[in-house]
Amino acid sequence: MAEKLIAGYTVDVNEEGYLTNPDQWNKEIAAEIAQELGLGELTERHWKVIEFLQNDFKANGKLPTIRRVNKVGGISTKELYELFPDGPLVKAAKVAGLSKPASCV
Amino acid sequence: MKKLLILGAGTAGTMMANHLNKKLNKNEWSITIIDQDEKHYYQPGFLFIPFEIYSEKDVIKEKRRFLPPGVEFIQSPIQIIEAEKNQVKLNDGKIIPYDILIIATGCRIVPSEIEGLDEGWRKNIFDFYTFDGSVALRNKLKEWKGGRLVVHLAEMPIKCPVAPLEFLFLSDWFFAKKGIRKDVDITYVTPLGSAFTKPRASAVLGNLFVTKNIHIVPNFNVSHVEADQNKLVSLDGKEVEYDLLVTIPTNMGDEMIERSGLGDELNFVPTDKHTLQSKNYENIFVIGDATDIPASKAGSVAHFEAEILTENIISFINNKPLEAKFDGHANCYIESGYNKAFLIDFNYDVEPVEGTFPLAGIGPFSLLKETRINHLGKMAFKFIYWNMLLKGIPIPTVPPHMKTSGKKL
Ligand SMILES: Cc1cc2nc3c(=O)[nH]c(=O)nc-3n(C[C@H](O)[C@H](O)[C@H](O)COP(=O)(O)OP(=O)(O)OC[C@H]3O[C@@H](n4cnc5c(N)ncnc54)[C@H](O)[C@@H]3O)c2cc1C
């Protein structure tokens, strides 16, 4: 397990820079990861997505699908793409401090 | 007399009927199992049909042959589960009450979730996730002279998440054997960031696409198909052209789950990931592809779950806490062509790593390594499935919980 300094905090990350300990996440870390991913300043609409992902992950133990973000989270797929272009779930999950969408290998 | 009712006599339902038939007291409990189909399909075999490695007879047998005599089998579509009333209604209106219900209705592909697929369906768009689909694709491949083959994954989760990769590797081999590999451009289109998403597996398997000359288009979330133009279009306007499209459409739980108000947005049933009890009803349990748990949807997973669920149902009947805990254990071969395969073994907490299986240091199978023995293991699986797995006969040295010995953690 690697450690990384993000926004002045030392956090545990995996090989690809995803946080591995959700307790270490905070909003400043999210903002810096967003910068790294080229998403710019996080807006209220971004936070709505991040909060939905985190709450849903807590409840179900897994990252929701784009379909679920739309149906249950009420965030349209079009908007999700505008907020997190090119691979929205991959990027949103990273900002939210969650594991990335995975297959089994 | 109390009634235990099982919905679905596929891999998971059949195993549960066999396990419980041995364990339940016949003076107190009767077991009934319902399925719409009289035939049992060995779904892992569908992968081999397009490449003429298996034929029809390898993958179809009568369901009844695998159910013990003491268990009542009703062949009928299930209309709805009325969970508040502890009963199930069949299509002909017949009502079946239950004391304990096991949902094992699996999942299936729903091509209509992607606009435009219908127009090219079975012309130059195929699937291999259904028996009919795999046979139709075999017939297509017989006459296909080459061009752009696109293998496409619509969205996760899907059953047997490694099957699209296996299909790619087997295609590469199949066209090479036919002498037309140079005329075939193979591309994999996936919504995930890469073909292998777990870091340890990616490190070992990552170069397979390069060595086999398979192209990949990652982060592609399909919006629709323009069948007249032979084009896949993504939500953010990317396009991929194909001559032959092999797609794995959205996988969903049965519509009956939706009619019953028991599913999530994909008709999967919210289930406790350790005990396999439904999150909403104490006397409903869920197993196999029908659950929403974050484990792989695979026959091997259903096999491990069945042993845990059997223990928990016995505990439930005896008013004891549900102590058996499923750890998410999965064990999958990945066929890679040229009579070789990989093997992966993992669970909720441990990703696939290198090592030996099932015996520490001995094997005979190697994890995350391409070997001939692994391939033989995969091919032997058909025999084990029909003769041991379905009947609930334990496989020696392969317990339900994942072993960490023999693994490079
Ligand atoms: C191409 C392919 C390759 C695969 N390869 C592998 C592999 O290599 N290894 C592996 O472990 N797994 C593999 N799998 C996955 C494996 O086949 C499934 O995970 C397994 O069959 C799941 O078992 P199940 O009992 O949950 O569902 P199923 O076996 O699909 O059974 C569900 C049953 O429910 C019945 N049913 C559903 N709804 C109703 C209704 N309303 N009324 C009446 N009956 C109903 C169906 O008729 C069916 O018989 C593969 C699958 C595919 C498609």
Side-chain angles (χ1 to χ4, degrees):
Chain A
M1 194 81 56
E3 284 186 344
K4 194 177 168 189
L5 192 69
I6 306 180
Y9 299 89
T10 305
V11 293
D12 298 329
V13 292
N14 71 7
E15 288 90 330
E16 294 163 300
Y18 284 76
L19 261 61
T20 53
N21 180 355
D23 296 337
Q24 295 176 337
W25 180 90
N26 64 39
K27 290 195 165 183
E28 292 161 64
I29 291 175
E32 181 151 328
I33 297 176
Q35 291 294 341
E36 266 177 39
L37 292 172
L39 299 172
E41 204 78 18
L42 290 175
T43 63
E44 221 161 281
R45 290 157 74 217
H46 287 102
W47 287 115
K48 200 178 149 201
V49 176
I50 294 165
E51 271 164 31
F52 175 73
L53 292 187
Q54 290 179 330
N55 291 337
D56 204 66
F57 190 93
K58 224 176 266 163
N60 298 308
K62 62 181 177 191
L63 195 71
T65 58
I66 290 193
R67 177 188 293 262
R68 188 170 170 86
V69 173
N70 180 359
K71 270 205 167 172
V72 183
I75 297 144
S76 80
T77 305
K78 193 167 160 261
E79 180 170 3
L80 196 60
Y81 263 96
E82 283 164 12
L83 296 169
F84 301 93
D86 200 29
L89 266 193
V90 181
K91 291 185 177 165
K94 194 164 194 179
V95 176
L98 304 169
S99 55
K100 79 170 173 183
S103 72
C104 64
V105 265
Chain B
M1 197 73 160
K2 290 192 172 170
K3 190 177 206 103
L4 185 136
L5 182 60
I6 305 173
L7 305 184
T11 309
T14 303
M15 289 188 300
M16 285 312 294
N18 281 295
H19 279 302
L20 290 169
N21 186 55
K22 284 179 219 141
K23 291 274 168 77
L24 293 188
N25 179 345
K26 297 290 160 31
N27 298 322
E28 287 175 22
W29 286 90
S30 72
I31 303 175
T32 300
I33 186 164
I34 310 175
D35 201 294
Q36 57 211 354
D37 216 326
E38 62 176 340
K39 298 202 177 77
H40 190 116
Y41 293 94
Y42 173 58
Q43 297 174 40
F46 297 171
L47 171 71
F48 296 117
I49 288 180
F51 307 111
E52 298 178 58
I53 298 169
Y54 282 175
S55 70
E56 285 86 337
K57 66 173 188 341
D58 291 299
V59 301
I60 308 181
K61 293 192 197 295
E62 292 290 312
K63 273 194 188 312
R64 273 174 222 265
R65 275 182 52 186
F66 303 95
L67 295 168
V71 168
E72 180 193 20
F73 177 54
I74 302 176
Q75 193 199 327
S76 162
I78 301 147
Q79 177 58 30
I80 191 168
I81 302 166
E82 297 177 324
E84 296 294 342
K85 295 188 194 160
N86 292 318
Q87 63 184 37
V88 164
K89 202 191 265 176
L90 304 184
N91 266 19
D92 62 6
K94 196 171 170 213
I95 304 259
I96 320 263
Y98 61 79
D99 294 284
I100 295 178
L101 183 72
I102 299 176
I103 300 177
T105 43
C107 69
R108 58 175 158 191
I109 57 163
V110 186
S112 59
E113 287 292 307
I114 302 170
E115 196 191 310
L117 269 191
D118 286 349
E119 287 149 55
W121 199 245
R122 306 267 156 101
K123 289 182 211 128
N124 64 345
I125 303 180
F126 290 84
D127 77 282
F128 66 97
Y129 263 53
T130 57
F131 173 68
D132 296 351
S134 66
V135 170
L137 180 54
R138 173 188 68 199
N139 297 339
K140 177 74 184 182
L141 287 182
K142 270 187 184 159
E143 46 137 280
W144 200 55
K145 301 278 185 293
R148 284 163 305 187
L149 168 67
V150 170
V151 179
H152 167 240
L153 168 58
E155 63 183 301
M156 293 296 285
I158 58 165
K159 57 176 144 187
C160 200
V162 294
L165 303 173
E166 297 183 280
F167 188 89
L168 286 161
F169 302 147
L170 288 176
S171 298
D172 165 59
W173 184 39
F174 177 79
F175 293 121
K177 273 194 299 189
K178 265 188 139 180
I180 60 167
R181 181 64 181 90
K182 61 181 186 327
D183 306 317
V184 182
D185 179 283
I186 305 179
T187 302
Y188 180 44
V189 177
T190 170
L192 299 168
S194 52
F196 304 99
T197 58
K198 299 273 188 199
R200 303 282 287 271
S202 310
V204 182
L205 305 174
N207 66 343
L208 273 179
F209 275 59
V210 178
T211 54
K212 292 181 189 290
N213 192 23
I214 297 169
H215 310 287
I216 176 162
V217 180
N219 295 321
F220 188 99
N221 283 287
V222 68
S223 146
H224 62 279
V225 171
E226 290 177 14
D228 51 343
Q229 309 272 336
N230 291 341
K231 228 162 43 182
L232 276 167
V233 184
S234 78
L235 287 164
D236 51 352
K238 285 184 278 195
E239 296 185 349
V240 174
E241 294 186 11
Y242 61 83
D243 295 308
L244 179 60
L245 177 65
V246 175
T247 182
I248 294 107
T250 308
N251 280 224
M252 294 176 80
D254 196 76
E255 278 177 9
M256 176 274 295
I257 301 291
E258 188 179 7
R259 287 195 290 275
S260 310
L262 288 175
D264 66 8
E265 73 286 351
L266 286 165
N267 302 343
F268 294 124
V269 186
T271 306
D272 185 288
K273 73 174 188 177
H274 293 299
T275 63
L276 305 174
Q277 188 174 39
S278 137
K279 284 191 178 162
N280 298 314
Y281 296 91
E282 268 209 312
N283 62 339
I284 298 183
F285 296 84
V286 198
I287 182 168
D289 296 350
T291 75
D292 78 331
I293 64 175
S296 283
K297 297 190 183 300
S300 69
V301 173
H303 163 71
F304 299 133
E305 287 173 343
E307 300 192 21
I308 303 289
L309 184 54
T310 302
E311 263 188 62
N312 279 342
I313 285 188
I314 302 299
S315 300
F316 183 77
I317 287 173
N318 295 321
N319 284 318
K320 297 221 172 90
L322 307 183
E323 271 169 1
K325 301 272 187 272
F326 181 57
D327 67 352
H329 188 192
N331 180 259
C332 303
Y333 292 99
I334 309 174
E335 271 297 293
S336 53
Y338 299 90
N339 296 319
K340 289 192 180 151
F342 293 86
L343 177 64
I344 52 176
D345 196 55
F346 58 102
N347 69 12
Y348 289 141
D349 303 317
V350 180
E351 60 174 284
V353 291
E354 292 174 75
T356 50
F357 183 87
L359 300 174
I362 298 174
F365 304 114
S366 310
L367 298 171
L368 269 185
K369 277 213 183 76
E370 192 181 34
T371 69
R372 208 179 159 79
I373 295 230
N374 288 343
H375 162 74
L376 295 175
K378 172 113 185 174
M379 301 319 271
F381 197 69
K382 183 180 70 167
F383 177 87
I384 293 177
Y385 183 86
W386 290 123
N387 295 289
M388 295 173 74
L389 219 76
L390 283 182
K391 294 176 185 161
I393 300 171
I395 300 174
T397 72
V398 185
H401 289 117
M402 196 189 85
K403 291 195 275 192
T404 48
S405 57
K407 293 197 168 73
K408 289 188 205 159
L409 295 177

